[in-house]
Amino acid sequence: MKKILFFVMMSMICLAADAATSKLYRGNSTYTSDILYSWDGRHLYHGNSTYSSDILYTWDGRYLYRGNSTYSSDILFTWDGRKVYQGRSTYTSDILCTWDGTHILQGNSSYSSDILFTVSHGHVYRGRSSYTSDILYTITGTIPIPVLLAVI
């Protein structure tokens, strides 16, 4: 009985761990063959992997690092909750994009003409569009904007 209980508990843990992983798919797809990246809440992995050798980026909630690193020399982006900055900077001149809750806008802009991407209902669309034909990526789960920006 203990072995059966142990097996059931381990199976539930494995399923919960897999369910907690977000995926980024190519286009309007959720087929396994279209998985581009996997996200576990801290690391972005290449493809459908969660092996440490496949870590592309590490996220700590404020900084996005290159690879499996948290060294300041490996900081790619800084996030303040609304803006993504180049490197470790928070200077206005280093703003790469602005997040308004639905759109990723170029630089420090709030103009609709500067919308690069729309993120809505589990999809990333080109520009201000929400047409199916403009879906670039499908997301299951959630991926932070700076991490998403690094791959789009």
Side-chain angles (χ1 to χ4, degrees):
M1 185 66 172
K2 286 183 181 180
K3 288 182 181 180
I4 292 173
L5 183 59
F6 176 76
F7 176 74
V8 169
M9 292 301 288
M10 291 307 291
S11 297
M12 290 174 62
I13 290 170
C14 290
L15 288 173
D18 188 48
T21 302
S22 298
K23 307 288 184 187
L24 184 72
Y25 298 82
R26 176 185 1 257
N28 189 19
S29 172
T30 54
Y31 291 117
T32 305
S33 60
D34 289 326
I35 295 173
L36 298 172
Y37 305 100
S38 299
W39 172 251
D40 69 3
R42 179 162 169 80
H43 299 103
L44 187 77
Y45 301 86
H46 180 72
N48 195 21
S49 172
T50 55
Y51 292 116
S52 61
S53 60
D54 290 326
I55 294 174
L56 299 172
Y57 303 109
T58 300
W59 173 248
D60 70 3
R62 176 167 177 142
Y63 299 112
L64 182 67
Y65 301 87
R66 181 180 299 108
N68 191 15
S69 171
T70 55
Y71 292 116
S72 61
S73 61
D74 289 326
I75 294 174
L76 298 172
F77 301 144
T78 299
W79 171 247
D80 72 2
R82 189 159 183 265
K83 303 201 184 292
V84 177
Y85 299 83
Q86 180 68 42
R88 194 178 172 137
S89 174
T90 55
Y91 292 117
T92 305
S93 61
D94 291 327
I95 295 173
L96 296 174
C97 70
T98 300
W99 170 245
D100 72 1
T102 304
H103 303 103
I104 298 173
L105 296 101
Q106 183 174 351
N108 194 23
S109 179
S110 60
Y111 295 113
S112 62
S113 60
D114 290 331
I115 293 173
L116 300 172
F117 304 101
T118 300
V119 182
S120 178
H121 298 85
H123 297 290
V124 178
Y125 299 87
R126 180 184 351 267
R128 191 176 181 175
S129 177
S130 60
Y131 292 115
T132 304
S133 60
D134 289 327
I135 294 174
L136 299 173
Y137 305 102
T138 298
I139 304 168
T140 57
T142 58
I143 299 175
I145 293 303
V147 177
L148 190 59
L149 183 65
V151 295
I152 60 176

